[in-house]
């Protein structure tokens, strides 16, 4: 099963680009599911029809769904949520405030992404196109497994054992209900799902991410940060879609000053994403909605390229034992924003507010960093 995820800054047209690609792939005979994980769903608007929380047939080979995040979160951690609700309402009446407290930032979106794993394991479709939440939310979801795996693997077994042995005494003395096995099972279930999801997302033979941008400086900067962070976490970005390019004929008169601004922005995109395939979409004469318009635009975007193919793949982590170096792909990273240190046989790399840990290979386990510099989009690190 092929999985292609569309992400980018809010309002750049991710949904339209995802829907158009889905239409194009479906016309080539593959069974396609296009799915929205963004809480502000607009997939139904793109197809001009009602789309529900389970797959709805759009046309031959093409299905669509808008994920119900509340429904998915209840399936994933209903027992844990109920236990926490009991704790919060022991001394007060239940109310909407308690429900709001139990909605952790990003967690509902993460549960919606479990659907990606579910359909991948089912093998029901040939291709899944995912219209993902805007950049920041997407990145935070992809980091959950890495952040929480140590806690779950080390702390959870001890907590579960303590709850069984000392739980009744604590419950009697403190008047606090202790978690039952089903609560720990929920946590274990969520973590197992997260680990499987991350393993799938890192499989470059299956999953690609595509960054959607528009030819505006502020949006391009966000796209570059998005691109860097995704590569920092070893996800494969195989294309950049540049949406809403104004035709020159439309830039005369009042909008004439925008011609140079747009040309400068497009030049920056070509220079910045030169190694990655870029596809350019002109501003259409009508809204990108209805099946027929999406089919037309989908066929125009990729030209001779196959939208279902892996369009680009770059290894993020390269070891050269002879030279005593490691190269890490960090496109657009700024030297002034970079932090690098070595601790407990790990390389800790920070780019702005993003931090990533890489294992130091056994060849360099007893050595320390002697030098580091950028070379053609790579951070090269010497050990001695």
């Amino acid at each position: 099963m092929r999985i292609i995820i569309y992400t980018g800054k809010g309002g750049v047209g991710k949904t339209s680009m995802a829907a158009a690609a889905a239409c194009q792939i479906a016309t080539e005979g593959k069974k396609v599911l296009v799915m929205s994980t963004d809480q502000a769903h607009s997939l139904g608007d793109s197809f001009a029809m009602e789309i529900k929380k389970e797959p709805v047939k759009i046309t031959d080979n093409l299905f669509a769904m808008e994920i119900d995040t509340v429904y998915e979160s209840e399936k994933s951690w209903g027992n844990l949520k109920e236990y926490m609700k009991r704790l919060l309402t022991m001394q007060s009446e239940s109310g909407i405030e308690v429900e709001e407290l139990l909605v952790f930032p990003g967690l509902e979106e993460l549960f919606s992404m479990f659907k990606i794993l579910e359909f991948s394991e089912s093998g029901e479709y040939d291709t899944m196109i995912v219209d993902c939440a805007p950049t920041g939310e997407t990145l935070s979801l992809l980091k959950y497994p890495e952040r929480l795996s140590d806690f779950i693997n080390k702390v959870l077994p001890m907590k579960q054992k303590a709850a069984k042995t000392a739980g009744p005494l604590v419950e009697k003395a403190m008047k606090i209900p202790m978690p039952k096995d089903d609560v720990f099972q929920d946590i274990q279930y969520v973590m197992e799902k997260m680990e499987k999801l991350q393993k799938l997302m890192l499989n470059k033979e299956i999953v690609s991410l595509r960054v959607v941008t528009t030819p505006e400086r502020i949006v391009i900067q966000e796209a570059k940060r998005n691109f860097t962070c995704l590569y920092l976490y070893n996800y494969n970005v195989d294309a950049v879609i540049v949406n809403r390019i104004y035709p020159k004929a439309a830039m005369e008169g009042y909008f004439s000053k925008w011609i140079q601004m747009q040309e400068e922005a497009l030049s920056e995109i070509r220079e910045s994403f030169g190694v990655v395939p870029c596809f350019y979409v002109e501003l259409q004469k009508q809204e990108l909605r209805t099946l027929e318009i999406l089919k037309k635009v989908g066929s125009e975007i990729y030209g001779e390229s196959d939208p279902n193919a892996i369009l680009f793949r770059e290894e993020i982590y390269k070891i050269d034992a002879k030279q005593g170096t490691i190269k890490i792909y960090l496109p657009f990273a700024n030297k002034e924003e970079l932090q690098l240190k070595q601790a407990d046989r790990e390389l800790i790399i920070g780019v702005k507010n993003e931090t990533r840990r890489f294992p130091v290979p056994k060849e360099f386990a007893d050595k320390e960093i002697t030098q580091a510099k950028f070379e053609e989009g790579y951070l090269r690190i010497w050990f001695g």
Side-chain angles (χ1 to χ4, degrees):
M1 184 178 181
R2 183 79 169 92
I3 301 171
I4 307 170
I5 299 174
Y6 284 74
T7 185
K9 187 177 175 66
V12 296
K14 295 184 304 298
T15 302
S16 300
M17 296 300 100
C23 290
Q24 176 65 9
I25 296 169
T27 59
E28 296 171 357
K30 296 187 181 297
K31 188 177 180 182
V32 180
L33 172 65
V34 57
M35 176 174 73
S36 171
T37 65
D38 192 342
Q39 288 198 62
H41 296 300
S42 57
L43 199 56
D45 298 329
S46 292
F47 286 108
M49 63 180 292
E50 184 181 3
I51 293 177
K52 301 178 180 179
K53 64 184 179 184
E54 297 297 336
V56 173
K57 186 173 182 178
I58 304 296
T59 185
D60 292 343
N61 295 325
L62 180 60
F63 299 79
M65 67 178 293
E66 293 180 338
I67 291 178
D68 184 334
T69 56
V70 176
Y71 173 72
E72 295 300 328
S73 67
E74 286 295 334
K75 286 201 310 183
S76 298
W77 74 311
N79 294 318
L80 175 58
K81 187 175 180 180
E82 187 59 34
Y83 169 68
M84 295 180 70
K85 188 175 179 180
R86 285 174 61 201
L87 289 181
L88 291 171
T89 57
M90 283 183 64
Q91 302 300 325
S92 64
E93 294 183 4
S94 177
I96 189 65
E97 297 83 0
V98 173
E99 292 292 338
E100 290 173 347
L101 285 171
L102 294 173
V103 179
F104 301 128
L107 206 54
E108 287 191 335
E109 289 89 341
L110 176 67
F111 294 146
S112 73
M113 292 189 74
F114 286 170
K115 272 292 184 184
I116 298 174
L117 181 64
E118 181 181 321
F119 283 113
S120 174
E121 292 175 339
S122 75
E124 186 177 350
Y125 299 91
D126 299 314
T127 301
M128 187 191 312
I129 304 291
V130 182
D131 169 30
C132 223
T135 305
E137 288 86 343
T138 303
L139 291 174
S140 67
L141 302 185
L142 298 180
K143 292 183 287 187
Y144 265 114
E146 191 170 287
R147 287 174 169 177
L148 298 179
S149 59
D150 284 345
F151 168 79
I152 296 299
N153 293 332
K154 295 175 183 177
V155 178
L156 185 61
M158 292 187 292
K159 293 289 185 184
Q160 186 170 10
K161 186 177 180 180
K164 283 185 176 180
T165 56
L169 294 176
V170 173
E171 195 170 76
K172 185 176 180 180
M174 305 294 293
K175 308 297 184 185
I176 296 175
M178 296 302 292
K180 307 299 181 186
D181 280 348
D182 56 8
V183 172
F184 291 101
Q185 287 167 6
D186 266 7
I187 299 173
Q188 195 67 47
Y189 169 81
V190 169
M191 277 310 303
E192 287 173 0
K193 284 276 189 180
M194 284 197 287
E195 288 171 359
K196 286 182 180 180
L197 176 62
Q198 188 180 50
K199 185 177 180 180
L200 173 65
M201 296 288 288
L202 292 173
N203 188 336
K204 295 178 175 61
E205 300 295 328
I206 296 174
V207 179
S208 297
L209 288 92
R210 292 178 185 168
V211 177
V212 182
T213 184
T214 56
E216 301 164 83
R217 287 291 179 85
I218 191 169
V219 184
I220 294 169
Q221 294 305 315
E222 175 73 9
K224 288 163 72 171
R225 284 192 292 269
N226 188 10
F227 191 91
T228 300
C229 291
L230 288 170
Y231 266 97
L232 186 65
Y233 283 86
N234 205 17
Y235 298 104
N236 188 48
V237 180
D238 78 338
V240 175
I241 314 296
V242 188
N243 192 23
R244 297 185 193 141
I245 299 172
Y246 292 103
K248 287 187 178 180
M251 303 293 279
E252 298 174 356
Y254 182 82
F255 293 101
S256 60
K257 292 184 179 180
W258 283 79
I259 296 175
Q260 184 179 353
M261 293 171 60
Q262 178 170 280
E263 285 302 320
E264 290 173 354
L266 291 173
S267 178
E268 181 176 351
I269 288 170
R270 286 189 287 269
E271 291 171 3
S272 299
F273 300 102
V275 295
V276 180
C278 291
F279 299 90
Y280 301 89
V281 186
E282 280 196 349
L283 183 68
Q284 303 297 302
K285 295 179 181 179
Q286 63 279 314
E287 286 185 279
L288 294 185
R289 61 191 303 269
T290 76
L291 182 62
E292 291 307 312
I293 294 174
L294 290 170
K295 280 183 178 180
K296 174 180 173 291
V297 173
S299 65
E300 292 175 354
I301 293 173
Y302 293 94
E304 298 298 317
S305 300
D306 178 5
N308 197 59
I310 298 171
L311 301 171
F312 174 80
R313 182 163 58 203
E314 182 73 39
E315 291 298 324
I316 188 174
Y317 192 74
K318 297 181 179 180
I319 300 170
D320 188 337
K322 291 183 179 179
Q323 295 287 331
T325 65
I326 293 174
K327 290 172 68 177
I328 299 173
Y329 190 49
L330 293 176
F332 318 125
N334 190 316
K335 184 178 179 180
E336 285 70 32
E337 298 171 349
L338 182 70
Q339 294 180 332
L340 172 65
K341 62 181 179 179
Q342 183 179 355
D344 297 326
R345 296 194 176 183
E346 284 186 323
L347 286 176
I348 304 172
I349 298 176
V351 180
K352 275 200 166 180
N353 60 341
E354 303 294 338
T355 303
R356 180 79 165 105
R357 292 174 180 264
F358 294 91
V360 176
K362 61 182 180 181
E363 294 91 337
F364 311 140
D366 299 323
K367 299 179 180 180
E368 294 187 357
I369 297 171
T370 59
Q371 186 184 355
K373 69 176 183 178
F374 281 111
E375 294 180 339
E376 300 178 346
Y378 283 88
L379 173 64
R380 189 169 186 178
I381 305 167
W382 281 263
F383 290 81

